[in-house]
Amino acid sequence: MQPDTHALIVIDVQNDFCPGGSLAVPEGDQIVAGINALMSDFSAVVFTQDWHPAHHLSFASQHADKDPYEVVDMPYGPQVLWPDHCVQGSQGAAFHTDLNITAADMIIRKGFRPAIDSYSAFFENDQTTPTGLEGYLRTRGISEVTLVGLATDFCVHFSAVDSARLGFATTVRLDLCRAIDLDGSLTAAREAMTAAGVHLT
Ligand code: VGL
Ligand code: ZN
């Protein structure tokens, strides 16, 4: 059993990121059993849930003449455009049915502001709007965080870098993550996480 000061954060294990979903991550469903098993080692378990309004500006469908995976400039910087995914209340936004959601103490929803995407569990993509997760962890006395989930190179990556930057001792269990891998994004993510002091196992 891990100490009470160590939290497990399960990032975006949702139907749209699993095979058959609208933004399917290859093998995204293959981490579910391992995550369920790992949760019983932790007394603090937090889930995140990507939770977009139907007209979210990270969707290519909201931009004239743009296709999914093109990059546009948003006021906060470059933004990859995605297929519509994780629309609030949809089946695609629901957690994978085999995920043991009973074990979650806290579910952080992110990406609900129409004009800002939110990869990180801590801050939206403007890197200043907080999700509230930092306050939750600190008020529970958490000092150490392990991250698992989807996708390694986007939401896990940005969550891990922010976690380390905020001073949490941070580990990513790469065996319990899967990547989208767009134009070298997985390699870049590993490098950025290592540079931020994240422990990759
Ligand atoms: C994610 C792209 C768009 C993720 C979320 O969970 O990694 N990626 N929204
Ligand atoms: Zn999203």
Side-chain angles (χ1 to χ4, degrees):
M1 194 72 192
Q2 297 293 327
D4 289 350
T5 51
H6 188 178
L8 178 65
I9 304 187
V10 180
I11 304 286
D12 298 359
V13 181
Q14 295 167 257
N15 291 324
D16 271 341
F17 297 125
C18 291
S22 64
L23 180 37
V25 179
E27 301 184 350
D29 55 339
Q30 292 188 15
I31 61 177
V32 174
I35 292 172
N36 285 340
L38 186 62
M39 286 193 284
S40 50
D41 289 346
F42 286 81
S43 60
V45 177
V46 176
F47 286 12
T48 67
Q49 190 170 26
D50 211 38
W51 196 249
H52 299 305
H55 300 290
H56 197 255
L57 283 187
S58 75
F59 296 169
S61 62
Q62 301 306 303
H63 301 257
D65 307 319
K66 295 287 177 200
D67 289 321
Y69 310 108
E70 285 187 56
V71 177
V72 293
D73 282 315
M74 297 288 215
Y76 53 81
Q79 169 71 48
V80 180
L81 297 178
W82 302 107
D84 291 15
H85 66 279
C86 296
V87 172
Q88 296 171 356
S90 68
Q91 207 33 50
F95 292 110
H96 188 285
T97 40
D98 295 338
L99 187 70
N100 179 16
I101 55 176
T102 326
D105 304 327
M106 171 69 161
I107 299 173
I108 290 272
R109 287 177 169 165
K110 60 185 181 61
F112 51 78
R113 291 183 178 86
I116 314 186
D117 207 2
S118 187
Y119 295 150
S120 166
F122 291 94
F123 295 99
E124 304 203 357
N125 286 10
D126 62 1
Q127 299 191 326
T128 51
T129 306
T131 61
L133 179 58
E134 178 189 4
Y136 178 76
L137 296 178
R138 292 214 196 279
T139 51
R140 275 193 71 171
I142 303 292
S143 55
E144 186 175 357
V145 159
T146 291
L147 293 129
V148 296
L150 305 170
T152 319
D153 40 347
F154 287 92
C155 290
V156 175
H157 159 206
F158 287 96
S159 299
V161 168
D162 282 346
S163 174
R165 191 164 56 82
L166 291 169
F168 297 102
T170 305
T171 298
V172 171
R173 281 277 304 260
L174 289 172
D175 59 318
L176 294 177
C177 298
R178 290 294 184 274
I180 297 173
D181 204 8
L182 205 62
D183 293 330
S185 57
L186 179 56
T187 303
R190 282 170 173 270
E191 287 169 4
M193 289 191 282
T194 302
V198 175
H199 186 54
L200 302 179
T201 64

PDB file of all heavy atoms in Angstrom, residues 67-100:
ATOM      1  N   ASP A  67      -9.043  20.476 -41.308  1.00  0.00           N
ATOM      2  CA  ASP A  67      -9.234  19.053 -41.072  1.00  0.00           C
ATOM      3  C   ASP A  67      -8.655  18.687 -39.715  1.00  0.00           C
ATOM      4  O   ASP A  67      -7.762  19.380 -39.213  1.00  0.00           O
ATOM      5  CB  ASP A  67      -8.496  18.238 -42.154  1.00  0.00           C
ATOM      6  CG  ASP A  67      -9.179  18.356 -43.505  1.00  0.00           C
ATOM      7  OD1 ASP A  67     -10.425  18.368 -43.538  1.00  0.00           O
ATOM      8  OD2 ASP A  67      -8.449  18.453 -44.512  1.00  0.00           O
ATOM      9  N   PRO A  68      -9.139  17.577 -39.152  1.00  0.00           N
ATOM     10  CA  PRO A  68      -8.546  17.103 -37.908  1.00  0.00           C
ATOM     11  C   PRO A  68      -7.023  16.938 -38.044  1.00  0.00           C
ATOM     12  O   PRO A  68      -6.532  16.568 -39.120  1.00  0.00           O
ATOM     13  CB  PRO A  68      -9.222  15.747 -37.682  1.00  0.00           C
ATOM     14  CG  PRO A  68     -10.555  15.899 -38.342  1.00  0.00           C
ATOM     15  CD  PRO A  68     -10.294  16.759 -39.558  1.00  0.00           C
ATOM     16  N   TYR A  69      -6.328  17.235 -37.001  1.00  0.00           N
ATOM     17  CA  TYR A  69      -4.869  17.124 -36.845  1.00  0.00           C
ATOM     18  C   TYR A  69      -4.106  18.278 -37.479  1.00  0.00           C
ATOM     19  O   TYR A  69      -2.884  18.334 -37.371  1.00  0.00           O
ATOM     20  CB  TYR A  69      -4.329  15.752 -37.318  1.00  0.00           C
ATOM     21  CG  TYR A  69      -5.125  14.632 -36.694  1.00  0.00           C
ATOM     22  CD1 TYR A  69      -6.019  13.870 -37.465  1.00  0.00           C
ATOM     23  CD2 TYR A  69      -5.043  14.363 -35.332  1.00  0.00           C
ATOM     24  CE1 TYR A  69      -6.797  12.880 -36.886  1.00  0.00           C
ATOM     25  CE2 TYR A  69      -5.831  13.372 -34.742  1.00  0.00           C
ATOM     26  CZ  TYR A  69      -6.702  12.640 -35.525  1.00  0.00           C
ATOM     27  OH  TYR A  69      -7.484  11.661 -34.952  1.00  0.00           O
ATOM     28  N   GLU A  70      -4.812  19.238 -38.115  1.00  0.00           N
ATOM     29  CA  GLU A  70      -4.149  20.488 -38.501  1.00  0.00           C
ATOM     30  C   GLU A  70      -3.955  21.326 -37.239  1.00  0.00           C
ATOM     31  O   GLU A  70      -4.648  21.131 -36.236  1.00  0.00           O
ATOM     32  CB  GLU A  70      -4.996  21.264 -39.512  1.00  0.00           C
ATOM     33  CG  GLU A  70      -4.971  20.674 -40.924  1.00  0.00           C
ATOM     34  CD  GLU A  70      -5.699  21.576 -41.924  1.00  0.00           C
ATOM     35  OE1 GLU A  70      -5.332  22.767 -42.037  1.00  0.00           O
ATOM     36  OE2 GLU A  70      -6.645  21.087 -42.570  1.00  0.00           O
ATOM     37  N   VAL A  71      -3.006  22.265 -37.327  1.00  0.00           N
ATOM     38  CA  VAL A  71      -2.721  23.113 -36.171  1.00  0.00           C
ATOM     39  C   VAL A  71      -3.155  24.541 -36.488  1.00  0.00           C
ATOM     40  O   VAL A  71      -2.924  25.027 -37.597  1.00  0.00           O
ATOM     41  CB  VAL A  71      -1.201  23.073 -35.849  1.00  0.00           C
ATOM     42  CG1 VAL A  71      -0.863  24.006 -34.689  1.00  0.00           C
ATOM     43  CG2 VAL A  71      -0.768  21.647 -35.522  1.00  0.00           C
ATOM     44  N   VAL A  72      -3.837  25.182 -35.545  1.00  0.00           N
ATOM     45  CA  VAL A  72      -4.218  26.592 -35.720  1.00  0.00           C
ATOM     46  C   VAL A  72      -3.635  27.408 -34.565  1.00  0.00           C
ATOM     47  O   VAL A  72      -3.250  26.859 -33.535  1.00  0.00           O
ATOM     48  CB  VAL A  72      -5.759  26.801 -35.735  1.00  0.00           C
ATOM     49  CG1 VAL A  72      -6.370  26.170 -36.971  1.00  0.00           C
ATOM     50  CG2 VAL A  72      -6.409  26.282 -34.467  1.00  0.00           C
ATOM     51  N   ASP A  73      -3.586  28.719 -34.767  1.00  0.00           N
ATOM     52  CA  ASP A  73      -3.147  29.612 -33.694  1.00  0.00           C
ATOM     53  C   ASP A  73      -4.349  30.055 -32.895  1.00  0.00           C
ATOM     54  O   ASP A  73      -5.268  30.664 -33.437  1.00  0.00           O
ATOM     55  CB  ASP A  73      -2.427  30.827 -34.282  1.00  0.00           C
ATOM     56  CG  ASP A  73      -1.010  30.475 -34.679  1.00  0.00           C
ATOM     57  OD1 ASP A  73      -0.329  29.806 -33.877  1.00  0.00           O
ATOM     58  OD2 ASP A  73      -0.589  30.844 -35.796  1.00  0.00           O
ATOM     59  N   MET A  74      -4.326  29.765 -31.617  1.00  0.00           N
ATOM     60  CA  MET A  74      -5.344  30.259 -30.689  1.00  0.00           C
ATOM     61  C   MET A  74      -4.700  31.412 -29.911  1.00  0.00           C
ATOM     62  O   MET A  74      -3.481  31.541 -29.911  1.00  0.00           O
ATOM     63  CB  MET A  74      -5.760  29.142 -29.725  1.00  0.00           C
ATOM     64  CG  MET A  74      -6.417  27.958 -30.406  1.00  0.00           C
ATOM     65  SD  MET A  74      -8.071  28.301 -30.999  1.00  0.00           S
ATOM     66  CE  MET A  74      -8.829  26.694 -30.718  1.00  0.00           C
ATOM     67  N   PRO A  75      -5.490  32.236 -29.212  1.00  0.00           N
ATOM     68  CA  PRO A  75      -4.901  33.342 -28.440  1.00  0.00           C
ATOM     69  C   PRO A  75      -3.817  32.864 -27.466  1.00  0.00           C
ATOM     70  O   PRO A  75      -2.897  33.606 -27.158  1.00  0.00           O
ATOM     71  CB  PRO A  75      -6.093  33.929 -27.685  1.00  0.00           C
ATOM     72  CG  PRO A  75      -7.276  33.566 -28.516  1.00  0.00           C
ATOM     73  CD  PRO A  75      -6.951  32.250 -29.175  1.00  0.00           C
ATOM     74  N   TYR A  76      -3.910  31.616 -27.017  1.00  0.00           N
ATOM     75  CA  TYR A  76      -2.942  31.083 -26.041  1.00  0.00           C
ATOM     76  C   TYR A  76      -1.805  30.301 -26.690  1.00  0.00           C
ATOM     77  O   TYR A  76      -0.943  29.760 -25.998  1.00  0.00           O
ATOM     78  CB  TYR A  76      -3.655  30.220 -24.993  1.00  0.00           C
ATOM     79  CG  TYR A  76      -4.537  29.124 -25.571  1.00  0.00           C
ATOM     80  CD1 TYR A  76      -4.019  27.919 -26.002  1.00  0.00           C
ATOM     81  CD2 TYR A  76      -5.914  29.319 -25.689  1.00  0.00           C
ATOM     82  CE1 TYR A  76      -4.822  26.921 -26.528  1.00  0.00           C
ATOM     83  CE2 TYR A  76      -6.736  28.330 -26.210  1.00  0.00           C
ATOM     84  CZ  TYR A  76      -6.185  27.131 -26.629  1.00  0.00           C
ATOM     85  OH  TYR A  76      -6.991  26.155 -27.150  1.00  0.00           O
ATOM     86  N   GLY A  77      -1.802  30.228 -28.051  1.00  0.00           N
ATOM     87  CA  GLY A  77      -0.706  29.518 -28.729  1.00  0.00           C
ATOM     88  C   GLY A  77      -1.236  28.508 -29.720  1.00  0.00           C
ATOM     89  O   GLY A  77      -2.435  28.467 -30.002  1.00  0.00           O
ATOM     90  N   PRO A  78      -0.331  27.681 -30.287  1.00  0.00           N
ATOM     91  CA  PRO A  78      -0.763  26.698 -31.288  1.00  0.00           C
ATOM     92  C   PRO A  78      -1.667  25.626 -30.676  1.00  0.00           C
ATOM     93  O   PRO A  78      -1.464  25.223 -29.531  1.00  0.00           O
ATOM     94  CB  PRO A  78       0.547  26.070 -31.779  1.00  0.00           C
ATOM     95  CG  PRO A  78       1.650  26.652 -30.975  1.00  0.00           C
ATOM     96  CD  PRO A  78       1.100  27.651 -30.010  1.00  0.00           C
ATOM     97  N   GLN A  79      -2.643  25.205 -31.448  1.00  0.00           N
ATOM     98  CA  GLN A  79      -3.607  24.217 -30.964  1.00  0.00           C
ATOM     99  C   GLN A  79      -3.860  23.187 -32.060  1.00  0.00           C
ATOM    100  O   GLN A  79      -4.226  23.562 -33.180  1.00  0.00           O
ATOM    101  CB  GLN A  79      -4.921  24.925 -30.587  1.00  0.00           C
ATOM    102  CG  GLN A  79      -6.105  24.014 -30.324  1.00  0.00           C
ATOM    103  CD  GLN A  79      -5.986  23.219 -29.028  1.00  0.00           C
ATOM    104  OE1 GLN A  79      -5.668  23.792 -27.983  1.00  0.00           O
ATOM    105  NE2 GLN A  79      -6.220  21.923 -29.075  1.00  0.00           N
ATOM    106  N   VAL A  80      -3.650  21.922 -31.768  1.00  0.00           N
ATOM    107  CA  VAL A  80      -4.023  20.853 -32.698  1.00  0.00           C
ATOM    108  C   VAL A  80      -5.544  20.786 -32.744  1.00  0.00           C
ATOM    109  O   VAL A  80      -6.210  20.865 -31.708  1.00  0.00           O
ATOM    110  CB  VAL A  80      -3.464  19.486 -32.242  1.00  0.00           C
ATOM    111  CG1 VAL A  80      -3.869  18.385 -33.216  1.00  0.00           C
ATOM    112  CG2 VAL A  80      -1.954  19.521 -32.071  1.00  0.00           C
ATOM    113  N   LEU A  81      -6.096  20.629 -33.947  1.00  0.00           N
ATOM    114  CA  LEU A  81      -7.547  20.447 -34.091  1.00  0.00           C
ATOM    115  C   LEU A  81      -7.874  18.955 -34.101  1.00  0.00           C
ATOM    116  O   LEU A  81      -7.215  18.179 -34.803  1.00  0.00           O
ATOM    117  CB  LEU A  81      -8.039  21.113 -35.375  1.00  0.00           C
ATOM    118  CG  LEU A  81      -7.853  22.634 -35.412  1.00  0.00           C
ATOM    119  CD1 LEU A  81      -8.323  23.182 -36.758  1.00  0.00           C
ATOM    120  CD2 LEU A  81      -8.596  23.314 -34.265  1.00  0.00           C
ATOM    121  N   TRP A  82      -8.873  18.585 -33.341  1.00  0.00           N
ATOM    122  CA  TRP A  82      -9.203  17.170 -33.140  1.00  0.00           C
ATOM    123  C   TRP A  82     -10.544  16.834 -33.781  1.00  0.00           C
ATOM    124  O   TRP A  82     -11.377  17.723 -33.990  1.00  0.00           O
ATOM    125  CB  TRP A  82      -9.290  16.887 -31.635  1.00  0.00           C
ATOM    126  CG  TRP A  82      -8.042  17.217 -30.894  1.00  0.00           C
ATOM    127  CD1 TRP A  82      -7.850  18.282 -30.059  1.00  0.00           C
ATOM    128  CD2 TRP A  82      -6.804  16.496 -30.920  1.00  0.00           C
ATOM    129  NE1 TRP A  82      -6.567  18.250 -29.571  1.00  0.00           N
ATOM    130  CE2 TRP A  82      -5.907  17.181 -30.075  1.00  0.00           C
ATOM    131  CE3 TRP A  82      -6.375  15.337 -31.575  1.00  0.00           C
ATOM    132  CZ2 TRP A  82      -4.597  16.745 -29.862  1.00  0.00           C
ATOM    133  CZ3 TRP A  82      -5.075  14.905 -31.365  1.00  0.00           C
ATOM    134  CH2 TRP A  82      -4.204  15.601 -30.519  1.00  0.00           C
ATOM    135  N   PRO A  83     -10.764  15.553 -34.048  1.00  0.00           N
ATOM    136  CA  PRO A  83     -12.136  15.144 -34.375  1.00  0.00           C
ATOM    137  C   PRO A  83     -13.020  15.453 -33.155  1.00  0.00           C
ATOM    138  O   PRO A  83     -12.505  15.486 -32.032  1.00  0.00           O
ATOM    139  CB  PRO A  83     -12.031  13.622 -34.575  1.00  0.00           C
ATOM    140  CG  PRO A  83     -10.572  13.282 -34.564  1.00  0.00           C
ATOM    141  CD  PRO A  83      -9.835  14.417 -33.941  1.00  0.00           C
ATOM    142  N   ASP A  84     -14.305  15.663 -33.360  1.00  0.00           N
ATOM    143  CA  ASP A  84     -15.214  15.852 -32.225  1.00  0.00           C
ATOM    144  C   ASP A  84     -15.039  14.657 -31.275  1.00  0.00           C
ATOM    145  O   ASP A  84     -15.019  13.506 -31.725  1.00  0.00           O
ATOM    146  CB  ASP A  84     -16.678  15.881 -32.684  1.00  0.00           C
ATOM    147  CG  ASP A  84     -17.028  17.122 -33.503  1.00  0.00           C
ATOM    148  OD1 ASP A  84     -16.101  17.822 -33.974  1.00  0.00           O
ATOM    149  OD2 ASP A  84     -18.234  17.375 -33.674  1.00  0.00           O
ATOM    150  N   HIS A  85     -14.888  14.924 -29.990  1.00  0.00           N
ATOM    151  CA  HIS A  85     -14.678  13.838 -29.019  1.00  0.00           C
ATOM    152  C   HIS A  85     -15.105  14.291 -27.626  1.00  0.00           C
ATOM    153  O   HIS A  85     -15.112  15.482 -27.329  1.00  0.00           O
ATOM    154  CB  HIS A  85     -13.196  13.414 -28.996  1.00  0.00           C
ATOM    155  CG  HIS A  85     -12.295  14.490 -28.478  1.00  0.00           C
ATOM    156  ND1 HIS A  85     -11.855  15.534 -29.266  1.00  0.00           N
ATOM    157  CD2 HIS A  85     -11.794  14.721 -27.241  1.00  0.00           C
ATOM    158  CE1 HIS A  85     -11.108  16.350 -28.539  1.00  0.00           C
ATOM    159  NE2 HIS A  85     -11.058  15.895 -27.305  1.00  0.00           N
ATOM    160  N   CYS A  86     -15.434  13.339 -26.806  1.00  0.00           N
ATOM    161  CA  CYS A  86     -15.744  13.578 -25.381  1.00  0.00           C
ATOM    162  C   CYS A  86     -16.714  14.730 -25.190  1.00  0.00           C
ATOM    163  O   CYS A  86     -16.508  15.617 -24.353  1.00  0.00           O
ATOM    164  CB  CYS A  86     -14.458  13.796 -24.582  1.00  0.00           C
ATOM    165  SG  CYS A  86     -13.392  12.341 -24.564  1.00  0.00           S
ATOM    166  N   VAL A  87     -17.781  14.699 -25.976  1.00  0.00           N
ATOM    167  CA  VAL A  87     -18.826  15.719 -25.837  1.00  0.00           C
ATOM    168  C   VAL A  87     -19.623  15.423 -24.562  1.00  0.00           C
ATOM    169  O   VAL A  87     -20.016  14.269 -24.317  1.00  0.00           O
ATOM    170  CB  VAL A  87     -19.729  15.746 -27.085  1.00  0.00           C
ATOM    171  CG1 VAL A  87     -20.937  16.663 -26.862  1.00  0.00           C
ATOM    172  CG2 VAL A  87     -18.924  16.219 -28.297  1.00  0.00           C
ATOM    173  N   GLN A  88     -19.808  16.464 -23.769  1.00  0.00           N
ATOM    174  CA  GLN A  88     -20.463  16.353 -22.456  1.00  0.00           C
ATOM    175  C   GLN A  88     -21.727  15.507 -22.521  1.00  0.00           C
ATOM    176  O   GLN A  88     -22.622  15.788 -23.313  1.00  0.00           O
ATOM    177  CB  GLN A  88     -20.821  17.754 -21.950  1.00  0.00           C
ATOM    178  CG  GLN A  88     -19.594  18.606 -21.708  1.00  0.00           C
ATOM    179  CD  GLN A  88     -19.919  20.057 -21.418  1.00  0.00           C
ATOM    180  OE1 GLN A  88     -21.081  20.475 -21.461  1.00  0.00           O
ATOM    181  NE2 GLN A  88     -18.888  20.850 -21.130  1.00  0.00           N
ATOM    182  N   GLY A  89     -21.786  14.482 -21.703  1.00  0.00           N
ATOM    183  CA  GLY A  89     -22.980  13.645 -21.599  1.00  0.00           C
ATOM    184  C   GLY A  89     -23.070  12.547 -22.637  1.00  0.00           C
ATOM    185  O   GLY A  89     -23.976  11.706 -22.554  1.00  0.00           O
ATOM    186  N   SER A  90     -22.148  12.520 -23.599  1.00  0.00           N
ATOM    187  CA  SER A  90     -22.221  11.493 -24.647  1.00  0.00           C
ATOM    188  C   SER A  90     -21.616  10.177 -24.154  1.00  0.00           C
ATOM    189  O   SER A  90     -20.864  10.140 -23.172  1.00  0.00           O
ATOM    190  CB  SER A  90     -21.477  11.958 -25.902  1.00  0.00           C
ATOM    191  OG  SER A  90     -20.077  12.022 -25.642  1.00  0.00           O
ATOM    192  N   GLN A  91     -21.905   9.109 -24.898  1.00  0.00           N
ATOM    193  CA  GLN A  91     -21.328   7.802 -24.581  1.00  0.00           C
ATOM    194  C   GLN A  91     -19.808   7.839 -24.762  1.00  0.00           C
ATOM    195  O   GLN A  91     -19.068   7.183 -24.039  1.00  0.00           O
ATOM    196  CB  GLN A  91     -21.978   6.761 -25.502  1.00  0.00           C
ATOM    197  CG  GLN A  91     -22.046   5.343 -24.997  1.00  0.00           C
ATOM    198  CD  GLN A  91     -22.212   5.181 -23.495  1.00  0.00           C
ATOM    199  OE1 GLN A  91     -23.088   5.792 -22.872  1.00  0.00           O
ATOM    200  NE2 GLN A  91     -21.357   4.353 -22.904  1.00  0.00           N
ATOM    201  N   GLY A  92     -19.348   8.632 -25.720  1.00  0.00           N
ATOM    202  CA  GLY A  92     -17.908   8.755 -25.944  1.00  0.00           C
ATOM    203  C   GLY A  92     -17.172   9.401 -24.786  1.00  0.00           C
ATOM    204  O   GLY A  92     -15.985   9.156 -24.566  1.00  0.00           O
ATOM    205  N   ALA A  93     -17.866  10.257 -24.053  1.00  0.00           N
ATOM    206  CA  ALA A  93     -17.245  10.932 -22.912  1.00  0.00           C
ATOM    207  C   ALA A  93     -17.268  10.077 -21.653  1.00  0.00           C
ATOM    208  O   ALA A  93     -16.584  10.395 -20.675  1.00  0.00           O
ATOM    209  CB  ALA A  93     -17.958  12.253 -22.637  1.00  0.00           C
ATOM    210  N   ALA A  94     -18.055   9.006 -21.682  1.00  0.00           N
ATOM    211  CA  ALA A  94     -18.141   8.134 -20.493  1.00  0.00           C
ATOM    212  C   ALA A  94     -16.830   7.375 -20.304  1.00  0.00           C
ATOM    213  O   ALA A  94     -16.098   7.112 -21.271  1.00  0.00           O
ATOM    214  CB  ALA A  94     -19.296   7.151 -20.668  1.00  0.00           C
ATOM    215  N   PHE A  95     -16.551   7.000 -19.069  1.00  0.00           N
ATOM    216  CA  PHE A  95     -15.372   6.181 -18.802  1.00  0.00           C
ATOM    217  C   PHE A  95     -15.554   4.806 -19.434  1.00  0.00           C
ATOM    218  O   PHE A  95     -16.685   4.313 -19.576  1.00  0.00           O
ATOM    219  CB  PHE A  95     -15.158   6.039 -17.290  1.00  0.00           C
ATOM    220  CG  PHE A  95     -14.768   7.332 -16.614  1.00  0.00           C
ATOM    221  CD1 PHE A  95     -15.647   7.986 -15.769  1.00  0.00           C
ATOM    222  CD2 PHE A  95     -13.521   7.902 -16.853  1.00  0.00           C
ATOM    223  CE1 PHE A  95     -15.287   9.182 -15.148  1.00  0.00           C
ATOM    224  CE2 PHE A  95     -13.156   9.103 -16.244  1.00  0.00           C
ATOM    225  CZ  PHE A  95     -14.035   9.752 -15.391  1.00  0.00           C
ATOM    226  N   HIS A  96     -14.426   4.179 -19.802  1.00  0.00           N
ATOM    227  CA  HIS A  96     -14.465   2.812 -20.320  1.00  0.00           C
ATOM    228  C   HIS A  96     -15.267   1.944 -19.336  1.00  0.00           C
ATOM    229  O   HIS A  96     -15.070   2.043 -18.125  1.00  0.00           O
ATOM    230  CB  HIS A  96     -13.035   2.291 -20.471  1.00  0.00           C
ATOM    231  CG  HIS A  96     -12.964   0.963 -21.168  1.00  0.00           C
ATOM    232  ND1 HIS A  96     -13.308  -0.210 -20.552  1.00  0.00           N
ATOM    233  CD2 HIS A  96     -12.604   0.649 -22.436  1.00  0.00           C
ATOM    234  CE1 HIS A  96     -13.156  -1.214 -21.413  1.00  0.00           C
ATOM    235  NE2 HIS A  96     -12.740  -0.709 -22.570  1.00  0.00           N
ATOM    236  N   THR A  97     -16.141   1.111 -19.865  1.00  0.00           N
ATOM    237  CA  THR A  97     -17.065   0.385 -18.969  1.00  0.00           C
ATOM    238  C   THR A  97     -16.354  -0.543 -17.994  1.00  0.00           C
ATOM    239  O   THR A  97     -16.911  -0.846 -16.939  1.00  0.00           O
ATOM    240  CB  THR A  97     -18.085  -0.468 -19.759  1.00  0.00           C
ATOM    241  OG1 THR A  97     -17.416  -1.077 -20.855  1.00  0.00           O
ATOM    242  CG2 THR A  97     -19.243   0.365 -20.236  1.00  0.00           C
ATOM    243  N   ASP A  98     -15.165  -1.007 -18.333  1.00  0.00           N
ATOM    244  CA  ASP A  98     -14.463  -1.907 -17.412  1.00  0.00           C
ATOM    245  C   ASP A  98     -13.664  -1.159 -16.344  1.00  0.00           C
ATOM    246  O   ASP A  98     -13.130  -1.778 -15.428  1.00  0.00           O
ATOM    247  CB  ASP A  98     -13.500  -2.821 -18.189  1.00  0.00           C
ATOM    248  CG  ASP A  98     -14.262  -3.755 -19.112  1.00  0.00           C
ATOM    249  OD1 ASP A  98     -15.467  -3.986 -18.861  1.00  0.00           O
ATOM    250  OD2 ASP A  98     -13.662  -4.235 -20.093  1.00  0.00           O
ATOM    251  N   LEU A  99     -13.550   0.167 -16.469  1.00  0.00           N
ATOM    252  CA  LEU A  99     -12.775   0.926 -15.473  1.00  0.00           C
ATOM    253  C   LEU A  99     -13.544   0.944 -14.154  1.00  0.00           C
ATOM    254  O   LEU A  99     -14.749   1.210 -14.135  1.00  0.00           O
ATOM    255  CB  LEU A  99     -12.542   2.355 -15.982  1.00  0.00           C
ATOM    256  CG  LEU A  99     -11.606   3.222 -15.137  1.00  0.00           C
ATOM    257  CD1 LEU A  99     -10.156   2.732 -15.248  1.00  0.00           C
ATOM    258  CD2 LEU A  99     -11.699   4.688 -15.561  1.00  0.00           C
ATOM    259  N   ASN A 100     -12.837   0.681 -13.075  1.00  0.00           N
ATOM    260  CA  ASN A 100     -13.488   0.652 -11.760  1.00  0.00           C
ATOM    261  C   ASN A 100     -13.685   2.071 -11.245  1.00  0.00           C
ATOM    262  O   ASN A 100     -12.908   2.572 -10.440  1.00  0.00           O
ATOM    263  CB  ASN A 100     -12.637  -0.169 -10.785  1.00  0.00           C
ATOM    264  CG  ASN A 100     -13.249  -0.201  -9.405  1.00  0.00           C
ATOM    265  OD1 ASN A 100     -14.437   0.118  -9.226  1.00  0.00           O
ATOM    266  ND2 ASN A 100     -12.454  -0.573  -8.417  1.00  0.00           N
TER     267      ASN A 100
END
